[in-house]
Amino acid sequence: MLVLTRKLKEAIQIGDDIEITVLAIQGDQVKLGINAPKHIDIHRKEVYLAIQAENSAAAEAHEASLAELTAKLKQWKHP
């Protein structure tokens, strides 16, 4: 992990397209501004983890439904 120190209004550049700027510091909170191309998804970590969990649950439900459908089709073909 790269650790950088920035002051108010200072920025970090990631590649050619992403810039992160410190907009405000209030107590133990830091407000960041992020400039990035629209095709780059940007989420808070807890939101990202929730999305990943939902996607995993949906994939597992899909696999279970597919297995159930396959079993029913086999029964239908071979009574």
Side-chain angles (χ1 to χ4, degrees):
M1 173 188 296
L2 174 64
V3 178
L4 301 172
T5 302
R6 299 281 71 203
K7 294 180 181 177
L8 189 62
K9 304 293 182 189
E10 292 183 338
I12 297 168
Q13 186 73 31
I14 301 174
D16 293 331
D17 299 332
I18 301 171
E19 180 181 23
I20 301 171
T21 305
V22 178
L23 299 178
I25 303 170
Q26 299 169 348
D28 64 348
Q29 288 189 330
V30 177
K31 188 181 287 187
L32 302 174
I34 303 170
N35 285 323
K38 292 202 180 280
H39 69 275
I40 304 268
D41 291 334
I42 301 172
H43 301 285
R44 295 186 328 250
K45 180 73 175 211
E46 64 274 13
V47 172
Y48 175 79
L49 293 175
I51 291 169
Q52 294 297 89
E54 284 291 323
N55 287 345
S56 292
E60 289 173 12
H62 177 72
E63 288 177 15
S65 295
L66 187 57
E68 183 180 331
L69 179 60
T70 301
K72 286 184 180 183
L73 285 174
K74 285 180 179 179
Q75 289 175 352
W76 183 63
K77 287 182 180 179
H78 306 290

